[in-house]
């Protein structure tokens, strides 16, 4: 099956700093990637959709200036959490799909802790 | 906003028993998928059912879909302690975006 990786798997950063999370499709070209956030014991909430070479589309209520998404190639999308605050601490999961796929393939997630 | 509502929110059963969890959604869908998530881990894809399908099986899993009622159910038969996890449904409405349900936390007691 298709494989999606995320890096790092966990990160701790100080309040006010920025942190970048990478999402890679390892064995297919992902025309579309998605970013989700999951708080403890809650479901996944879609944050944004990114298409290769174009600007990301953010869901209502998600601050685009705070969560910068770049989908610069067909195998890589990045999410940068800028000026992180403790309330940004969460589990961030990406997924990717190709036009020939019925489904999205999910990465293993990145746990962000902001102190 | 979340599209899917799942019930029960939590379920505790004995090993060997069957577990049933339900998902309801609000708008027309192209397909519905079920995922498992172990605590603090990524998602494991279980099964995809398309809007023109009514039932699918995969090993000990049985999924039904009733588009008239906008609902789906996941049945796990002969449960095992290793089935302990959270289970989520996710609907795709034609925009390739997935909307996840609220999830059911299943605990299987050995």
């Amino acid at each position: 099956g298709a494989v999606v990786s995320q890096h790092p798997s966990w990160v701790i950063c100080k309040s006010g700093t920025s942190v970048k999370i990478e999402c890679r499709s390892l064995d297919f070209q992902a025309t579309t990637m998605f970013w989700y956030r999951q708080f403890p014991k809650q479901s996944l909430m879609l944050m944004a959709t990114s298409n290769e070479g174009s600007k990301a589309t953010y869901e209502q209520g998600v601050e685009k200036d705070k969560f910068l998404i770049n989908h610069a190639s067909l195998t890589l999308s990045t999410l940068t959490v800028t000026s992180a605050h403790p309330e940004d601490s969460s589990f961030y999961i990406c997924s990717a799909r190709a036009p020939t796929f019925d489904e999205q393939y999910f990465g293993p997630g990145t746990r962000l802790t902001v102190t | 906003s979340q599209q899917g509502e799942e019930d029960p929110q939590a379920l505790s059963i004995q090993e060997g028993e069957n577990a049933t969890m339900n998902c309801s959604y609000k708008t027309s869908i192209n397909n519905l998928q079920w995922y498992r998530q172990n605590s603090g881990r990524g998602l494991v894809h279980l099964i995809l059912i398309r809007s023109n399908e009514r039932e699918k099986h995969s090993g000990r899993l049985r999924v039904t879909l009733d588009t008239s009622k906008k609902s789906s159910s996941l049945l796990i038969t002969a449960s095992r302690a290793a089935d302990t996890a959270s289970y989520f449904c996710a609907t795709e409405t034609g925009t390739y975006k997935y909307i996840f349900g609220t999830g059911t936390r299943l605990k299987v007691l050995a």
Side-chain angles (χ1 to χ4, degrees):
Chain A
V3 180
V4 175
S5 70
Q6 280 185 243
H7 177 79
S9 55
W10 60 271
V11 57
I12 301 173
C13 71
K14 292 189 175 180
S15 190
T17 62
S18 296
V19 62
K20 181 185 285 188
I21 301 169
E22 292 185 350
C23 176
R24 291 182 187 273
S25 57
L26 299 185
D27 51 3
F28 67 99
Q29 293 189 323
T31 50
T32 308
M33 288 185 169
F34 304 86
W35 287 94
Y36 298 83
R37 179 168 54 182
Q38 184 181 33
F39 292 109
K41 297 189 177 180
Q42 294 189 24
S43 187
L44 283 76
M45 295 295 292
L46 179 65
M47 299 175 66
T49 304
S50 73
N51 292 293
E52 186 265 339
S54 61
K55 288 185 178 180
T57 303
Y58 291 81
E59 295 299 303
Q60 194 171 9
V62 178
E63 300 174 60
K64 59 182 68 175
D65 293 332
K66 181 167 187 59
F67 299 100
L68 301 179
I69 292 171
N70 187 341
H71 191 163
S73 78
L74 284 172
T75 59
L76 173 65
S77 176
T78 60
L79 167 67
T80 301
V81 183
T82 62
S83 187
H85 289 280
E87 56 265 32
D88 298 324
S89 298
S90 189
F91 195 53
Y92 292 88
I93 303 176
C94 73
S95 69
R97 71 174 296 276
T100 53
F101 293 167
D102 275 340
E103 61 186 272
Q104 299 175 21
Y105 290 89
F106 285 82
T110 296
R111 184 159 304 283
L112 169 64
T113 301
V114 184
T115 61
Chain B
S1 63
Q2 287 181 340
Q3 161 140 292
E5 296 288 331
E6 292 182 56
D7 77 272
Q9 288 187 346
L11 179 61
S12 186
I13 59 174
Q14 295 291 327
E15 210 167 25
E17 294 181 339
N18 295 342
T20 299
M21 49 206 89
N22 304 293
C23 167
S24 60
Y25 55 91
K26 296 175 184 166
T27 63
S28 297
I29 61 171
N30 277 357
N31 63 63
L32 183 146
Q33 315 210 28
W34 284 92
Y35 289 87
R36 184 183 75 225
Q37 185 181 38
N38 291 86
S39 182
R41 308 292 292 273
L43 297 176
V44 174
H45 182 256
L46 297 177
I47 203 161
L48 178 154
I49 187 164
R50 294 184 175 82
S51 60
N52 61 353
E53 297 175 313
R54 291 297 166 259
E55 187 171 315
K56 282 189 88 168
H57 297 255
S58 177
R60 293 184 295 115
L61 306 180
R62 173 176 167 254
V63 168
T64 62
L65 178 65
D66 187 335
T67 52
S68 66
K69 294 182 179 178
K70 292 187 171 57
S71 68
S72 174
S73 67
L74 170 66
L75 169 67
I76 303 173
T77 60
S79 63
R80 306 166 181 167
D83 294 329
T84 295
S86 292
Y87 291 82
F88 296 95
C89 65
T91 53
E92 195 256 294
T93 59
T95 60
Y96 306 119
K97 297 194 296 187
Y98 284 3
I99 304 300
F100 280 82
T102 49
T104 293
R105 290 194 302 281
L106 173 66
K107 188 168 188 178
V108 181
L109 305 170

